[in-house]
Amino acid sequence: MPEPSQDAERARAPLPFGVAEVTGPSMVPTLHHGDRLLVHYGARVRRGDVIVLRHPFQQDLLVVKRAAERREGGWWVLGDNAYAGGDSTDYGVVPDELVLGRVRFRYRPRTPDRRSPLAVAAWALSSARPVFSDRSASRRLRAR
């Protein structure tokens, strides 16, 4: 399950933006292990947004999931990788107070083996992407 680094959390901080690092495969293909995220803490969450939240049973653990739908009591969240688990199918609805923010942007850090100018240019063109609310493309959101 993707988990932002614990140092990255800035919930309710004076600056509403922070950086988090993804670990785990539950948001593949949208996010990959090692991706860095720009998180807008306190942002309004809509259906389809990729969000950072506290795990309902381990509140010292931060996770990244997609807000699938609004339900009584909070958000039903799902990972984009149906086989990874670790989402609302395991722990139910996530209360609003555990939702910390919305992911706005992701980038993949450059690996040390990419030294040639062509490799650096390819990395620069593909590493940084905004994270949009992918409402129509996610078959998993419609299936539940």
Side-chain angles (χ1 to χ4, degrees), residues 27 44-53 64-70 74-80 88 94 99 101-102 133-135 138 141:
M27 287 299 291
R44 191 182 92 178
V45 175
R46 295 177 302 203
R47 183 180 181 276
D49 287 345
V50 177
I51 60 174
V52 174
L53 56 117
V64 178
K65 298 293 173 196
R66 189 173 298 277
E69 68 181 27
R70 191 86 177 110
W75 284 97
W76 186 263
V77 297
L78 297 172
D80 287 357
S88 285
V94 176
V99 175
R102 180 176 166 191
S133 300
D134 189 10
R135 296 187 178 112
S138 178
L141 290 177

Side-chain angles (χ1 to χ4, degrees), residues 74-129:
W75 284 97
W76 186 263
V77 297
L78 297 172
D80 287 357
N81 181 351
Y83 302 106
D87 54 23
S88 285
T89 57
D90 295 330
Y91 46 74
V93 174
V94 176
D96 290 325
E97 59 268 12
L98 298 182
V99 175
L100 300 176
R102 180 176 166 191
V103 175
R104 298 290 188 172
F105 195 80
R106 73 103 177 122
Y107 72 95
R108 295 191 176 126
R110 190 169 65 94
T111 56
D113 61 329
R114 294 184 172 225
R115 292 187 194 131
S116 75
L118 183 59
V120 171
W123 167 80
L125 291 172
S126 68
S127 68
R129 300 262 188 240

Side-chain angles (χ1 to χ4, degrees), residues 3-11 19-21 41 53-54 58-63 100:
E3 167 190 343
S5 304
Q6 294 297 320
D7 329 338
E9 182 190 1
R10 287 193 186 177
V19 177
E21 180 179 350
Y41 290 103
L53 56 117
R54 289 187 183 279
Q58 277 183 279
Q59 294 189 9
D60 60 332
L61 177 66
L62 301 180
V63 294
L100 300 176

